[in-house]
Amino acid sequence: MTRALIVGGGLTAATLAWRLSQDGVESTVLERAEQTGGLVRSDHMGGVLYEPHGSHIFHTEDEEVWNLANQMTPFRDYRHRVDILIEGKILNWPILLSDIDAQSRSEEIKAELEARRDVDAEARAQAANFEEWCLELMGPTLYDRYIRPYTEKQWGRPARTLSASWAPRRVSVRWDNDPYLFPDPYQGWPAGPNGYTDLLDGLFGAPGVTVRTGVDVTLETLDRHVREEQADLVVLTCPLDEFCGNELGALEWRGIDVRSVHIPHIEYAQGAMVVNYPGEGYPFIRIHETKHASGQQIEGTVLGFEFTGAPSRHYPIELPENRALNDRYQDHLRGVIGAERVHFAGRLANYVYIDMDDCMREALTTAEQLLDGLARDGAPGAA
Amino acid sequence: MTRALIVGGGLTAATLAWRLSQDGVESTVLERAEQTGGLVRSDHMGGVLYEPHGSHIFHTEDEEVWNLANQMTPFRDYRHRVDILIEGKILNWPILLSDIDAQSRSEEIKAELEARRDVDAEARAQAANFEEWCLELMGPTLYDRYIRPYTEKQWGRPARTLSASWAPRRVSVRWDNDPYLFPDPYQGWPAGPNGYTDLLDGLFGAPGVTVRTGVDVTLETLDRHVREEQADLVVLTCPLDEFCGNELGALEWRGIDVRSVHIPHIEYAQGAMVVNYPGEGYPFIRIHETKHASGQQIEGTVLGFEFTGAPSRHYPIELPENRALNDRYQDHLRGVIGAERVHFAGRLANYVYIDMDDCMREALTTAEQLLDGLARDGAPGAA
Ligand SMILES: Cc1cc2nc3c(=O)[nH]c(=O)nc-3n(C[C@H](O)[C@H](O)[C@H](O)COP(=O)(O)OP(=O)(O)OC[C@H]3O[C@@H](n4cnc5c(N)ncnc54)[C@H](O)[C@@H]3O)c2cc1C
Ligand SMILES: Cc1cc2nc3c(=O)[nH]c(=O)nc-3n(C[C@H](O)[C@H](O)[C@H](O)COP(=O)(O)OP(=O)(O)OC[C@H]3O[C@@H](n4cnc5c(N)ncnc54)[C@H](O)[C@@H]3O)c2cc1C
């Protein structure tokens, strides 16, 4: 019987362990925290279901992943809408044409938009940086209200020092006034009593999966765990720099800190699950209220205030030197552990931002490569 | 030896017990919560000193009270400044003339102000209600930005249904651009390690004062406590309706709920100790950050989000029928306990909003009346 040791117990580990189990490969998941689930886990405060790490919306075009998720927990038909505070008023994010008249200097804004309507997407794609891309789309007034302050709060640096490459997925002006954030055909939020925790528990509940929490694994202690668990293979879903004691240097991340409070006497505190606060005057960047997505029938609500600039790992800083450093960690670990015995999966070990659907898809792919290798070569000798 | 039983362990009880002790009268304080201090108590979260019930500024003209407070804990020279979000911008509260140009339609606002500059305070005092008073002071534009939404959020009713009587103390336009909220000669915030808790502990530490926490006293259980403590006198600083099992009906209050979060990576999250959020779009009405007043040298900060409409006792609803109901409770209790044996003190038993300086002054006065009675008539027979 082959057994995999999976370091880290988030959605990547859960999906991987489930897929291996389908083919009769057992696994042990070692999670540092007291509970599994990583960023995706839901929890309760005062009975109210909420997301300790901020809102997660499941939205995908990937039917197989969607079906797998729904097999673990039913999903509610929730479509994500985001509010944004502009000049102290609640408007829609992304920008709707119909929200322009609610703003000061609306005629100027319309003229700025009109002047740019003919710039096609391809020309814009040549923009030198994020700021330039946005200015070419919407002009300076909207940019200064919706985009610049939010972006600089999120990234802690001027928007013109950011790459234009991720703008098209994140920024748009809706000429058709469609208020919803995501276009994907499959969208929802878990309908069960425990939110995403039901998804995770479903996956971890597959036969032959053992989960141990409160176990922090490092390169130094890995061998011991491999022996104890009698594992043939290792999958790392944890940050590699920390895992290696920062041997080759630390990877840069931009982090957030979400702090949640329970308010027993308020049914709904805001009009949407997520409200963006781009202005510099606001100490937080977003406020989350899971109840809009969970639809939970309960008195009271929970608000999560999101603060940027925290020393935690949320957004990788996409610079060539950071990518190269993560590659070097992977090579280093292949050297030490054995290229045939170690695999990397998930947002941390691959140093990427990936949504849950991509995370599950990649975990399935990694599991299948691993299974293919086993079918071809058999289990690599135990440590 | 005479002994007083004091029900409730807030600043009123602390000041009373201290004053009685000065004249050799012992007391037992029974406090329902696990800690004394009521609304005024300070606490720590992640090492950061903060105020669980929202900001308290000590400001007074009463030199004796100021000296007493300073005798218990040194005060820092903190002068209170409040920020307010107007059109998404941070401006000053109260309204400064110099903040008008930062707003849209500033010329209109100035014309509205100018037109009212000659309305004298006395004429304004005749205003029929709070809204009218404010409109006569500042005109409709400023009123709709600074006052109406804040007031309606705070009171949960239209501003025109509120009395004009408390407007002069709360609303002003500063032609001289003085940004500070209070004019009082003595102002500050406790300089010690535990904020207001040091003030309270200092007062409760007087000789002959016994404090018991976790004891909820009602009219039904009062006799037993009086016997156990061998008390000759009773001072109630608790809400009388609840104390009497709502026998004559419930007193109306407007309550808030302050929810605090610790943010370890932020030194200061906002520019002032208190930031007002008048807009309807914001789910809270104020955000508190005690660090501005405490001056504590520490990494991290604590923000307190204040939500209105909570079922708690913060602001009495000043209507004749409510005042009359509280009077009836006092009469009722004088009848049951004996007019010579029971005294009422503090914001709850007297159904009033009083600042800390007035609270201490009234507690001193009540103690002195009680001492005079003892000197004149001796202790009333024990229960
Ligand atoms: C701010 C933000 C918002 C997001 N919103 C969405 C959204 O709306 N929709 C969506 O589809 N996706 C969203 N995502 C993406 C989603 O969070 C990820 O796809 C998912 O968390 C990836 O799971 P993971 O297992 O790779 O990583 P994680 O969830 O980070 O799990 C990693 C686990 O490994 C553990 N671990 C780390 N080091 C060790 C160690 N040395 N030993 C043992 N255990 C260790 C950690 O404690 C953690 O439990 C969002 C991500 C972020 C950052
Ligand atoms: C929102 C708000 C902001 C304020 N800001 C300021 C400010 O900036 N500056 C200023 O000077 N003042 C301020 N104040 C006023 C200050 O809070 C009061 O002056 C002070 O709290 C009065 O103390 P107290 O002992 O009368 O009441 P409390 O502080 O309410 O104490 C009463 C105590 O009695 C206890 N109790 C109640 N019932 C029972 C029972 N049945 N048995 C036993 N114990 C019981 C309670 O648990 C509580 O500990 C503010 C007040 C409010 C409401």
Side-chain angles (χ1 to χ4, degrees):
Chain A
M1 178 71 74
T2 311
R3 174 172 285 273
L5 181 78
I6 306 179
V7 178
L11 183 59
T12 297
T15 310
L16 243 151
W18 176 86
R19 183 63 189 83
L20 294 179
S21 162
Q22 294 292 101
D23 276 32
V25 173
E26 298 189 337
S27 56
T28 301
V29 174
L30 301 180
E31 164 60 48
R32 159 160 70 190
E34 289 312 314
Q35 280 158 303
T36 57
L39 292 187
V40 171
R41 190 174 64 87
S42 310
D43 208 339
H44 289 87
M45 195 186 274
V48 180
L49 190 57
Y50 80 109
E51 296 184 88
H53 304 286
S55 302
H56 281 75
I57 321 306
F58 211 109
H59 59 102
T60 189
E61 299 181 344
D62 188 330
E63 193 173 345
E64 191 189 333
V65 158
W66 176 247
N67 288 340
L68 173 56
N70 278 269
Q71 195 181 319
M72 298 299 137
T73 175
F75 274 67
R76 301 180 72 223
D77 185 18
Y78 168 75
R79 299 207 71 199
H80 194 46
R81 244 200 14 76
V82 174
D83 279 339
I84 183 169
L85 258 293
I86 299 293
E87 298 185 304
K89 289 203 187 91
I90 301 269
L91 301 179
N92 194 82
W93 173 255
I95 304 170
L96 304 187
L97 209 61
S98 56
D99 274 350
I100 305 232
D101 281 329
Q103 300 177 49
S104 67
R105 292 165 46 212
S106 56
E107 293 310 315
E108 258 171 82
I109 297 175
K110 284 184 214 164
E112 289 172 11
L113 274 178
E114 206 47 58
R116 285 162 182 84
R117 210 171 168 167
D118 296 332
V119 180
D120 67 24
E122 217 164 304
R124 217 168 31 238
Q126 308 305 315
N129 60 56
F130 182 75
E131 174 164 292
E132 201 178 279
W133 190 96
C134 296
L135 284 171
E136 282 178 16
L137 176 69
M138 64 185 71
T141 308
L142 288 178
Y143 175 72
D144 272 344
R145 287 183 188 168
Y146 285 80
I147 312 293
R148 193 191 42 72
Y150 189 91
T151 306
E152 301 191 344
K153 209 187 245 186
Q154 176 164 23
W155 292 101
R157 59 175 82 186
R160 76 190 126 60
T161 68
L162 295 168
S163 151
S165 63
W166 55 277
R169 274 187 50 209
R170 285 188 170 75
V171 177
S172 62
V173 175
R174 298 281 173 83
W175 296 84
D176 63 357
N177 293 321
D178 172 14
Y180 296 104
L181 191 60
F182 302 119
D184 303 84
Y186 308 110
Q187 297 189 32
W189 209 86
N194 305 305
Y196 284 106
T197 304
D198 290 329
L199 167 62
L200 293 152
D201 287 352
L203 293 165
F204 281 130
V209 180
T210 304
V211 173
R212 302 193 206 291
T213 57
V215 186
D216 193 343
V217 186
T218 62
L219 182 51
E220 254 180 59
T221 61
L222 179 69
D223 261 1
R224 176 167 61 77
H225 292 293
V226 166
R227 274 196 310 276
E228 279 174 14
E229 306 295 338
Q230 306 194 308
D232 311 290
L233 291 161
V234 172
V235 186
L236 300 178
T237 79
C238 58
L240 303 184
D241 52 351
E242 205 186 46
F243 184 77
C244 298
N246 284 317
E247 212 174 322
L248 311 176
L251 289 157
E252 279 183 286
W253 291 80
R254 184 84 184 152
I256 60 170
D257 193 349
V258 178
R259 296 282 154 164
S260 297
V261 303
H262 174 226
I263 318 147
H265 73 283
I266 294 182
E267 173 107 34
Y268 283 96
Q270 57 188 28
M273 182 187 202
V274 173
V275 181
N276 290 350
Y277 284 80
E280 289 125 19
Y282 306 113
F284 36 81
I285 186 164
R286 300 195 283 187
I287 308 181
H288 303 267
E289 188 175 29
T290 306
K291 229 180 158 186
H292 294 271
S294 73
Q296 193 187 7
Q297 298 292 323
I298 188 170
E299 271 182 54
T301 192
V302 168
L303 288 185
F305 295 89
E306 178 177 332
F307 301 90
T308 61
S312 50
R313 297 171 188 263
H314 288 87
Y315 302 98
I317 312 268
E318 268 301 349
L319 294 173
E321 57 268 33
N322 291 333
R323 167 76 31 234
L325 179 57
N326 204 65
D327 289 346
R328 273 195 288 141
Y329 271 115
Q330 294 195 347
D331 288 343
H332 174 63
L333 286 165
R334 284 192 195 97
V336 180
I337 305 173
E340 69 300 343
R341 284 181 57 231
V342 67
H343 296 258
F344 306 100
R347 64 180 205 94
L348 295 166
N350 285 325
Y351 190 67
V352 286
Y353 179 96
I354 37 170
D355 275 338
M356 291 181 287
D357 58 332
D358 293 330
C359 158
M360 289 178 74
R361 167 56 60 200
E362 290 182 14
L364 294 176
T365 305
T366 305
E368 280 150 20
Q369 286 166 350
L370 200 154
L371 291 166
D372 285 350
L374 285 177
R376 205 175 46 235
D377 313 319
Chain B
M1 178 71 74
T2 312
R3 174 174 287 272
L5 181 78
I6 306 179
V7 178
L11 183 58
T12 297
T15 310
L16 243 152
W18 177 85
R19 183 62 189 84
L20 294 179
S21 162
Q22 294 293 100
D23 276 30
V25 173
E26 299 190 338
S27 56
T28 302
V29 174
L30 300 181
E31 165 60 49
R32 160 159 68 192
E34 289 311 314
Q35 281 159 303
T36 57
L39 291 187
V40 171
R41 189 174 65 87
S42 311
D43 208 340
H44 289 88
M45 195 185 274
V48 180
L49 190 57
Y50 80 109
E51 295 184 86
H53 304 286
S55 302
H56 281 77
I57 321 305
F58 210 107
H59 58 102
T60 190
E61 298 181 343
D62 188 330
E63 193 173 344
E64 191 189 333
V65 158
W66 177 246
N67 288 341
L68 172 56
N70 277 268
Q71 194 182 319
M72 298 298 137
T73 174
F75 273 67
R76 302 180 69 223
D77 184 18
Y78 168 74
R79 299 208 69 198
H80 194 46
R81 242 200 14 78
V82 174
D83 280 340
I84 184 169
L85 259 293
I86 299 294
E87 297 185 306
K89 289 202 186 91
I90 302 269
L91 302 179
N92 194 83
W93 173 254
I95 304 170
L96 304 186
L97 209 62
S98 55
D99 274 350
I100 310 259
D101 280 330
Q103 300 176 50
S104 66
R105 294 167 42 214
S106 56
E107 294 310 315
E108 258 171 82
I109 296 175
K110 285 185 215 163
E112 288 173 11
L113 274 177
E114 207 47 58
R116 285 162 182 84
R117 210 172 168 167
D118 296 331
V119 180
D120 68 24
E122 218 162 304
R124 214 165 36 235
Q126 308 305 315
N129 60 55
F130 182 75
E131 173 164 293
E132 199 179 281
W133 191 96
C134 296
L135 285 171
E136 281 177 16
L137 176 69
M138 65 185 70
T141 308
L142 288 179
Y143 174 72
D144 272 344
R145 288 183 187 168
Y146 285 80
I147 312 292
R148 192 191 44 72
Y150 189 90
T151 306
E152 300 191 345
K153 209 186 248 186
Q154 177 164 23
W155 292 100
R157 58 176 83 187
R160 76 190 125 63
T161 69
L162 295 168
S163 150
S165 63
W166 54 275
R169 273 185 52 208
R170 286 184 169 77
V171 177
S172 62
V173 174
R174 297 282 173 82
W175 296 85
D176 63 356
N177 293 321
D178 172 14
Y180 296 105
L181 192 59
F182 302 118
D184 302 85
Y186 307 111
Q187 296 189 32
W189 209 86
N194 305 304
Y196 284 107
T197 304
D198 291 328
L199 167 62
L200 292 152
D201 287 351
L203 294 165
F204 282 129
V209 181
T210 304
V211 174
R212 304 195 204 288
T213 58
V215 186
D216 193 342
V217 186
T218 62
L219 182 51
E220 256 180 59
T221 61
L222 180 68
D223 261 1
R224 175 166 62 76
H225 292 293
V226 166
R227 277 197 307 276
E228 279 175 15
E229 307 296 339
Q230 305 193 311
D232 310 291
L233 292 161
V234 171
V235 186
L236 300 179
T237 79
C238 58
L240 303 183
D241 53 351
E242 205 188 45
F243 184 75
C244 297
N246 284 316
E247 213 173 321
L248 311 176
L251 288 157
E252 278 182 288
W253 291 81
R254 185 85 184 151
I256 60 169
D257 193 351
V258 179
R259 297 282 153 165
S260 298
V261 303
H262 174 226
I263 317 147
H265 72 283
I266 294 181
E267 174 105 34
Y268 283 95
Q270 57 188 28
M273 182 188 203
V274 173
V275 182
N276 290 351
Y277 284 80
E280 289 125 20
Y282 307 114
F284 36 81
I285 187 164
R286 300 196 283 187
I287 308 180
H288 303 267
E289 189 176 28
T290 306
K291 227 179 159 186
H292 293 272
S294 73
Q296 193 188 7
Q297 298 293 324
I298 189 171
E299 270 183 56
T301 192
V302 169
L303 288 186
F305 295 89
E306 178 177 333
F307 300 91
T308 62
S312 50
R313 297 172 188 262
H314 289 87
Y315 303 98
I317 313 267
E318 267 300 350
L319 293 173
E321 56 268 34
N322 291 333
R323 167 75 30 233
L325 181 56
N326 204 66
D327 290 346
R328 274 195 289 142
Y329 271 115
Q330 294 195 346
D331 287 343
H332 174 63
L333 286 164
R334 285 193 195 95
V336 180
I337 305 173
E340 68 300 343
R341 284 180 57 227
V342 68
H343 296 258
F344 307 99
R347 63 179 207 95
L348 294 166
N350 285 325
Y351 190 68
V352 285
Y353 179 96
I354 36 170
D355 275 339
M356 293 181 287
D357 57 333
D358 293 332
C359 158
M360 289 178 74
R361 168 54 62 199
E362 290 183 15
L364 293 176
T365 306
T366 304
E368 281 151 20
Q369 285 166 352
L370 200 153
L371 291 167
D372 285 351
L374 286 176
R376 206 176 46 234
D377 313 319

